[in-house]
Amino acid sequence: MTRPLSVGIAGLGTVGGGVLKLLRDNAEIVTARAGRPIAVTAVSARDRSKDRGIAVTGLRWYDDPVALAGDPGVDVVVELIGGSEGPARALADATIAAGKPLVTANKALLAVHGAELARSAEERGVTLKFEAAVAGGIPAIKALREGLAGNRISNVAGILNGTCNYILTQMRERGREFADVLADAQKLGYAEADPSFDIDGVDAAHKLAILAALAFGRPVSFEDVHVEGIRRISALDIAFATELGYRIKLLGIARQTEAGIETRVHPCMVPQTAPIARVDGVFNAVVAEGDFVGRVMLEGRGAGAGPTASAVAADLIDIARGRFTPVWGAAAASLSQAPSVPMSSHVGAYYLRLMVVDRPGVIADVTAILRDIGVSLESMLQRGRSPGEAVPVVLVTHETRESAMREALDRIGGLPTVMEEPALIRIEEG
């Protein structure tokens, strides 16, 4: 029999344990598809005594993950530590320097250091794979880098964070406020004790930076991603969205324009009829549009031991088979240097909710500001009367430039009759 592919895993948390379990439980099918057995022979984790619910006896143990890369009996290193710096970065560098393939589920590492890691891997002829870094068990990386390789991709977008999607789904279905649903999500394990990485959009932005690099064949550029989270989404906004025929989703959107590439993560209103609007709960979805294939949508679980382990196993099977694809789909010399487009240049429609004092002349003041800046209104909603008290007013604009909307918000927010900071949500057609 062909010699087994020897794997070293750094990080034995939820995903690391899932990878061990998958390779053992599905050993027969993995061997058949890889053309040789794939066996974990060495591991690295902080606590040897911890009960992980899966046997690690007989495996070589390293307290220092960098030492794992130097083990002569390890053919491939799987990095599941997490974080863009520290041990994860050191292990990635050491693995590539040792000339060994690296498999990682670490979106932060790739978003921040992916360009440099890709150059190092190419210089040394080393495989760098990361299917598990974006959207868990959804094969989004393979789809963009290989399945759609013959297409010019015009845009790629998706629901890239299950925590945010769960919170927004619960807010819509139960009519509850953000803080209450977040607390429940934490109790259920869908949100971390410190949820900022998810709810402030950073996790989705890391993933979008990776998808954009693959879609448009250019080095990853996380610093150019515009990032907003969902903290300011209210039950009132979700109710108005429903009335207007929309659902609110946190989307990551990367688009090729004449000026360059725009990459942005923020809450969006999408039509209820759009396929992505119906992706609820902890599920993720990725939508790509190519010039020959048209629109393709992939949906599934974006996190968890099983889905993420499935993606890691797919990468290991490719390595066992000797399949090699450049990190960003093409050699470094062939990558695009298309510029990034600032958020201020974005053009689209907008939802604007104001809490204003209910008295004559207030709406005239608001619309005068919009008129002077050149923002055209499509519709307006005002429900009920409460003279002298604050009432909500919703304005929906025609397409306009982000910079104009920002100027309008500043001026409208300064009116003495506007009682709260205006709420702004961009409208996407799905």
Side-chain angles (χ1 to χ4, degrees):
M1 179 181 288
T2 305
R3 186 179 71 82
L5 183 72
S6 176
V7 177
I9 296 178
L12 283 180
T14 300
V15 176
V19 174
L20 272 171
K21 180 173 171 55
L22 185 152
L23 292 178
R24 289 172 179 174
D25 290 359
N26 288 0
E28 185 177 350
I29 195 169
V30 168
T31 298
R33 291 174 178 171
R36 59 195 287 200
I38 297 177
V40 176
T41 59
V43 294
S44 176
R46 285 177 294 189
D47 185 358
R48 296 192 186 212
S49 62
K50 182 178 179 180
D51 182 5
R52 295 175 169 82
I54 187 165
V56 293
T57 53
L59 303 179
R60 296 187 299 283
W61 189 288
Y62 291 91
D63 295 315
D64 178 8
V66 172
L68 186 70
D71 184 333
V74 168
D75 300 319
V76 181
V77 172
V78 177
E79 184 274 305
L80 302 173
I81 301 169
S84 62
E85 308 298 337
R89 174 71 193 280
L91 176 62
D93 289 340
T95 301
I96 293 171
K100 295 181 180 182
L102 174 66
V103 175
T104 180
N106 191 337
K107 62 265 182 183
L109 177 70
L110 290 163
V112 177
H113 300 296
E116 183 179 343
L117 291 171
R119 282 194 299 271
S120 297
E122 182 174 329
E123 288 169 1
R124 291 167 174 81
V126 170
T127 298
L128 171 59
K129 288 188 170 289
F130 48 93
E131 185 65 63
V134 177
I138 303 173
I141 303 300
K142 278 184 177 292
L144 280 174
R145 188 169 58 188
E146 298 164 39
L148 303 181
N151 288 257
R152 287 185 179 88
I153 304 297
S154 57
N155 62 80
V156 60
I159 295 170
L160 303 175
N161 184 274
T163 298
C164 288
N165 204 40
Y166 173 82
I167 290 171
L168 293 172
T169 299
Q170 290 293 303
M171 289 177 70
R172 187 189 78 243
E173 292 180 349
R174 300 190 179 188
R176 300 176 66 198
E177 289 292 352
F178 170 80
D180 294 336
V181 177
L182 172 59
D184 284 352
Q186 288 171 315
K187 292 175 185 175
L188 292 168
Y190 293 146
E192 302 288 342
D194 177 3
S196 56
F197 193 70
D198 292 315
I199 65 175
D200 291 333
V202 179
D203 175 75
H206 284 150
K207 296 168 184 174
L208 181 69
I210 295 167
L211 290 177
L214 291 165
F216 307 119
R218 71 167 192 172
V220 67
S221 184
F222 172 67
E223 64 273 14
D224 292 323
V225 181
H226 173 83
V227 188
E228 296 176 26
I230 64 170
R231 289 182 191 266
R232 295 194 63 232
I233 300 298
S234 70
L236 185 60
D237 293 320
I238 287 179
F240 274 123
T242 300
E243 185 173 350
L244 291 165
Y246 294 104
R247 289 185 178 177
I248 298 177
K249 298 290 184 182
L250 182 76
L251 296 184
I253 300 169
R255 184 168 292 151
Q256 178 87 57
T257 72
E258 291 184 2
I261 295 169
E262 64 174 37
T263 49
R264 48 195 171 91
V265 170
H266 52 73
C268 298
M269 286 194 176
V270 294
Q272 293 174 358
T273 54
I276 205 164
R278 297 191 289 272
V279 178
D280 283 336
V282 297
F283 281 72
N284 284 194
V286 175
V287 180
E289 192 149 355
D291 56 350
F292 275 74
V293 74
R295 181 169 292 192
V296 174
M297 177 169 159
L298 302 169
E299 176 186 354
R301 293 192 176 275
T308 312
S310 170
V312 170
D315 282 344
L316 290 172
I317 289 170
D318 275 354
I319 290 169
R321 283 287 186 185
R323 301 180 187 125
F324 177 82
T325 306
V327 177
W328 305 122
S334 301
L335 293 178
S336 165
Q337 298 302 318
S340 296
V341 177
M343 191 65 198
S344 58
S345 298
H346 170 67
V347 174
Y350 294 80
Y351 159 98
L352 177 62
R353 177 181 56 79
L354 309 173
M355 296 300 294
V356 302
V357 177
D358 187 6
R359 70 185 187 205
V362 173
I363 301 302
D365 292 341
V366 171
T367 55
I369 290 172
L370 295 173
R371 178 201 63 212
D372 292 346
I373 294 174
V375 176
S376 173
L377 288 180
E378 179 183 282
S379 62
M380 183 179 75
L381 289 176
Q382 182 177 8
R383 293 288 178 264
R385 292 295 310 277
S386 185
E389 297 183 11
V391 294
V393 173
V394 167
L395 308 170
V396 177
T397 77
H398 290 292
E399 284 197 347
T400 191
R401 190 172 290 272
E402 176 90 10
S403 55
M405 281 304 299
R406 285 296 168 189
E407 183 181 352
L409 280 185
D410 287 343
R411 291 174 61 177
I412 291 169
L415 292 173
T417 50
V418 175
M419 307 306 292
E420 297 178 5
E421 183 180 351
L424 177 74
I425 303 175
R426 298 166 191 87
I427 296 173
E428 295 288 330
E429 291 309 311

